């Protein structure tokens, strides 16, 4: 087997592994969605990793700090109380500079 064939075969095996992994995640998600879970007021439905490859659907209430990261950078910071945004919320650009702030009221 020459190197070109080796790398082609390796790429195919990796693609198959990713496809199987994604289909398992998708199957878990579809199974949970089919249950039509309804969360109580002041909570929200979240899908969280469970075990080695499972997924859990759970109703959560946001409390305390919230930090959102995307592409390895902090994008948003703020606080929750009773599932509502409260206090100062800050949005950051790619360099980490605050580009927007908002004062949130829990009413």
């Amino acid at each position: 087997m020459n190197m070109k064939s080796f790398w082609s075969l390796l790429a195919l095996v990796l693609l198959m592994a990713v496809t199987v992994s994604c289909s398992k995640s998708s199957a878990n998600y579809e199974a949970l969605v089919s249950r039509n879970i309804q969360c109580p007021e002041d909570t929200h439905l979240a899908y969280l990793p469970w075990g080695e490859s499972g997924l859990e659907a759970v109703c959560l209430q946001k409390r305390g700090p919230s930090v959102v990261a995307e592409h390895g950078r902090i994008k948003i910071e703020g606080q929750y109380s009773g599932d509502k945004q409260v206090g100062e919320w800050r949005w950051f650009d790619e360099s980490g500079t605050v580009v927007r702030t908002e004062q949130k009221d829990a009413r």
Side-chain angles (χ1 to χ4, degrees), residues 67-81:
V67 180
V68 176
E70 185 177 52
H71 306 296
R73 293 183 173 88
I74 302 301
K75 300 297 284 182
I76 305 169
E77 284 183 331
Q79 293 277 330
Y80 280 96
S81 178

Side-chain angles (χ1 to χ4, degrees), residues 4-75:
K4 185 175 180 182
S5 296
F6 170 77
W7 288 114
S8 296
L9 180 60
L10 181 60
L12 180 61
V13 169
L14 289 173
L15 179 61
M16 288 172 51
V18 168
T19 301
V20 168
S21 175
C22 289
S23 66
K24 284 182 183 176
S25 297
S26 179
N28 291 336
Y29 178 76
E30 292 300 324
L32 293 172
V33 167
S34 73
R35 297 300 298 254
N36 195 28
I37 299 166
Q38 300 296 312
C39 290
E41 189 176 327
D42 290 336
T43 65
H44 64 278
L45 184 61
Y47 296 95
L48 306 174
W50 185 86
E52 288 186 32
S53 63
L55 193 61
E56 173 185 22
V58 61
C59 296
L60 297 176
Q61 185 177 60
K62 294 179 183 177
R63 290 189 182 121
S66 174
V67 180
V68 176
E70 185 177 52
H71 306 296
R73 293 183 173 88
I74 302 301
K75 300 297 284 182

